[in-house]
């Protein structure tokens, strides 16, 4: 038994949450139909810089780690073999190119990071490194790369390339990363001497030319970009198949995963930590950021009303078309009363699991799944007062193994303003969230305990 003094001195340090705002550079992000909500983008145009500057300042006011920009490269065309319902109901469409808004976000802020989703499918690693390192410079080291390899047939159709199987995409991804690392490491830290007297800017002996000859890529060059503040962007990943989890365990510094219940989060956390061992990385060395959507109000009944209003915006056909796009199946040909538990999908396996377990494993019909999924990809939706939401987040941190939360947008920018003003102070009061940024780079802030 501990002596009284020892008990008093035992300060239990609580894990603090990291927070990111999950958004797309488009008219509608991950809650389908939200563009028509009466509070969505009132007075704002998503295609203008002012909207992004305001959103960035709001997230920075809430001390978020980063704004996280999801992306895909073309409107989905799986549902009925056409992208008509995607265009018709603004299902992640239109979506503009994500890296274009990074400098707008980072010049409007001092600390907020930006996670940018860029696909490896149609871009050579050389230009990917060049772009990301340039963005890392322009942001003073606040960029993360969400590494994706294009899971949707529509993306391959858009580029006129035959879609490859997931296994092949991961093989390519491994080599892709090898080339990126070689380029990022090709400049020594002291390569630049900038000696005006001698006229020597950089020592060529310290800027190595890489000569990569692999199965998928060839690259014979020096990186064209001087070493950036973070050296390389924070590597982020959301692959969720068996192969995808291994890739994340090997390369990622942070992972984005969606699990509807705390039991599934725990399951994922344990699985990921076991995989880290395989790559000689200590458990907990990768930040696990779980998706969550919040609907906050001063009272529970008001929050519930708000939630009902949000759900009323979801168009049933648009919801199905979105599921068809993400899971690579044409749900227009299915009996909507069939259970999703009886179906196998070629698309995003990890997100499909969010609806398989939406009711703790109890059967869910396709019709029901579409409405759950269209709300926010099967993330837990936390509806209530700031106290209720903070209570739930504490459970996810302590029992689910979460290191933080990717907050999926409902109406914007209002949902992030409400979170910053109402939930952040409650998390801080419980010592579950930072009261200031620890560092200047995104990596430093992500590592903040
Ligand atoms: C939560 C979550 C978010 C994702 N966001 C994107 C995205 O914005 N763009 C994209 O192309 N893929 C996205 N993906 C897809 C994955 O990163 C991955 O490429 C895809 O799931 C295929 O890999 P997998 O079969 O290992 O899951 C996301 C996946 C998850 C689980």
């Amino acid at each position: 038994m501990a002596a009284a003094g020892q008990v008093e001195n035992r300060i239990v340090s609580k894990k603090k949450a990291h927070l990111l705002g999950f958004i797309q550079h488009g008219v509608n992000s991950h809650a389908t139909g939200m563009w028509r909500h009466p509070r969505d983008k009132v007075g704002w145009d998503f295609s203008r810089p002012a909207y992004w500057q305001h959103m960035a300042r709001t997230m920075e006011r809430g001390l978020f780690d980063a704004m996280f920009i999801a992306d895909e490269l073309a409107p989905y065309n799986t549902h009925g073999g056409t992208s008509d319902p995607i265009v018709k109901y603004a299902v992640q469409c239109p979506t503009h190119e994500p890296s274009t808004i990074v400098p707008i976000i980072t010049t409007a802020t001092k600390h907020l990071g930006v996670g940018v989703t860029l696909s490896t499918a149609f871009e050579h690693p050389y230009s990917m490194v060049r772009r990301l390192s340039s963005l890392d410079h322009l942001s003073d080291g606040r960029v993360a790369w969400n590494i994706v390899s294009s899971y949707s047939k529509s993306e391959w159709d858009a580029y006129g390339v035959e879609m490859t199987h997931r296994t092949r995409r991961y093989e390519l991804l491994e080599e892709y990363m090898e080339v990126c690392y070689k380029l990022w490491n090709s400049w020594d830290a002291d390569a630049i001497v900038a000696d005006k007297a001698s006229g020597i800017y950089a020592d060529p002996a310290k800027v190595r030319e890489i000569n990569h000859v692999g199965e998928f890529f060839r690259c014979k060059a020096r990186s064209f970009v001087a070493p950036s503040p973070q050296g390389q962007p924070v590597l982020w990943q959301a692959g969720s198949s068996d192969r995808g989890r291994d890739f994340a365990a090997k390369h990622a510094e942070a992972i984005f995963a969606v699990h509807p219940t705390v039991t599934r989060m725990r399951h994922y956390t344990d699985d990921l930590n076991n995989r880290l061992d395989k790559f000689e990385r200590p458990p907990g060395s990768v930040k696990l950021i779980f998706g969550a959507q919040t609907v906050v109000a001063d009272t529970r009944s008001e929050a519930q009303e708000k939630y009902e209003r949000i759900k009323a915006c979801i168009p049933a056909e648009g919801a199905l078309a979105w599921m068809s796009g993400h899971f690579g199946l044409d749900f227009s040909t299915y009996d909507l009363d069939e259970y999703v538990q009886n179906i196998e999908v070629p698309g995003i396996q990890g997100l499909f699991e969010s609806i398989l377990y939406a009711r703790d494993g109890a059967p869910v019909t396709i019709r029901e799944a579409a409405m759950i999924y269209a709300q926010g990809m099967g993330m837990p939706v936390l509806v209530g007062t700031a106290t209720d939401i903070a209570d739930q987040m504490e459970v996810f941190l302590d029992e689910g193994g979460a290191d933080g939360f990717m907050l999926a947008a409902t109406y914007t920018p209002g949902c992030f303003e409400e979170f910053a003003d109402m939930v952040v102070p409650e998390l801080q009061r419980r010592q579950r969230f930072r009261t200031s940024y620890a560092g200047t780079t995104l990596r430093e802030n992500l590592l903040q305990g």
Side-chain angles (χ1 to χ4, degrees), residues 22 30 69-72 117 146-151 155 166 169-170 237-245 256-258 347-351 377:
F22 188 46
H30 300 87
I69 312 166
D71 192 47
E72 66 282 327
T117 301
N146 179 28
I147 307 162
V148 300
S149 57
S150 291
Y151 62 86
E155 302 177 279
R166 175 189 282 126
R169 295 203 302 273
Y170 275 113
Q237 231 271 327
S240 36
S241 60
D242 185 53
R243 187 75 197 257
R245 289 181 187 206
F256 174 25
V258 169
I348 311 180
Q349 187 58 41
L351 290 175
M377 305 201 307

Side-chain angles (χ1 to χ4, degrees), residues 120-411:
T120 56
F122 314 106
E123 181 165 359
H124 194 282
Y126 183 77
S127 62
M128 181 67 82
V129 162
R130 189 171 184 221
R131 180 145 50 122
L132 283 165
S133 295
S134 301
L135 291 173
D136 201 45
H137 276 289
L138 290 170
S139 65
D140 288 323
R142 289 187 277 147
V143 168
W145 174 25
N146 179 28
I147 307 162
V148 300
S149 57
S150 291
Y151 62 86
S152 166
K153 184 180 161 297
S154 59
E155 302 177 279
W156 297 77
D157 287 349
Y159 283 81
V161 181
E162 179 109 9
M163 187 170 183
T164 52
H165 188 266
R166 175 189 282 126
T167 315
R168 197 69 182 145
R169 295 203 302 273
Y170 275 113
E171 283 165 9
L172 178 141
L173 215 43
E174 280 297 336
E175 193 184 319
Y176 202 101
M177 295 313 297
E178 197 186 323
V179 182
C180 290
Y181 293 133
K182 283 181 186 169
L183 288 165
W184 278 318
N185 293 326
S186 64
W187 284 66
D188 285 349
D190 58 352
I192 297 176
V193 287
D195 180 5
K196 288 193 180 183
S198 64
I200 293 174
Y201 182 73
D203 179 353
K206 293 181 176 174
V207 186
R208 281 166 300 283
E209 181 173 272
I210 76 158
N211 190 3
H212 178 90
V213 181
E215 185 184 353
F216 299 95
F217 301 105
R218 282 167 177 251
C219 180
K220 184 175 183 307
R222 290 174 152 125
S223 171
F224 214 6
V225 185
S228 70
Q230 293 188 114
Q232 61 187 49
V234 172
L235 299 181
W236 209 291
Q237 231 271 327
S240 36
S241 60
D242 185 53
R243 187 75 197 257
R245 289 181 187 206
D246 267 357
F247 179 85
K250 182 172 172 191
H251 298 279
E253 295 170 77
I255 292 176
F256 174 25
V258 169
H259 292 285
T261 62
V262 69
T263 317
R264 297 301 304 170
M265 287 180 194
R266 184 76 251 167
H267 206 267
Y268 181 85
T269 302
D270 292 344
D271 177 71
L272 215 281
N273 280 333
N274 285 336
R275 286 172 197 262
L276 286 176
D277 194 40
K278 217 183 331 182
F279 300 102
E280 294 172 11
R281 301 177 75 187
S285 57
V286 178
K287 296 287 177 199
L288 294 184
I289 308 296
F290 288 110
Q293 208 170 35
T294 61
V295 182
V296 63
D298 289 332
T299 65
R300 283 185 185 168
S301 60
E302 207 187 315
Q304 196 57 42
E305 264 173 46
K306 263 180 152 176
Y307 184 36
E308 296 306 324
R309 185 69 194 83
I310 286 168
K311 282 195 287 188
C313 292
I314 302 174
E317 195 194 349
L320 275 172
W322 195 33
M323 273 214 319
S324 298
H326 271 196
F327 302 139
L329 287 182
D330 180 2
F331 284 109
S332 72
T333 64
Y334 280 69
D335 171 1
L336 298 187
D337 292 318
E338 192 174 330
Y339 292 125
V340 289
Q341 278 77 9
N342 299 335
I343 298 171
E344 286 204 3
V345 299
I348 311 180
Q349 187 58 41
L351 290 175
F352 193 63
E353 283 181 21
S354 74
I355 49 175
L356 286 182
Y357 294 97
R359 302 217 172 107
D360 262 336
V364 178
T365 65
I366 294 174
R367 192 189 311 277
E368 293 165 330
M371 295 315 268
I372 296 170
Y373 197 73
Q375 167 71 42
M377 305 201 307
M379 295 179 188
V381 187
L382 314 181
V383 182
T385 63
T387 308
D388 295 331
I389 290 172
D391 282 350
Q392 191 62 66
M393 286 185 160
E394 287 201 273
V395 174
F396 294 161
L397 290 167
D398 294 337
E399 293 170 29
D403 292 306
F405 304 100
M406 187 74 81
L407 301 174
T410 53
Y411 48 82

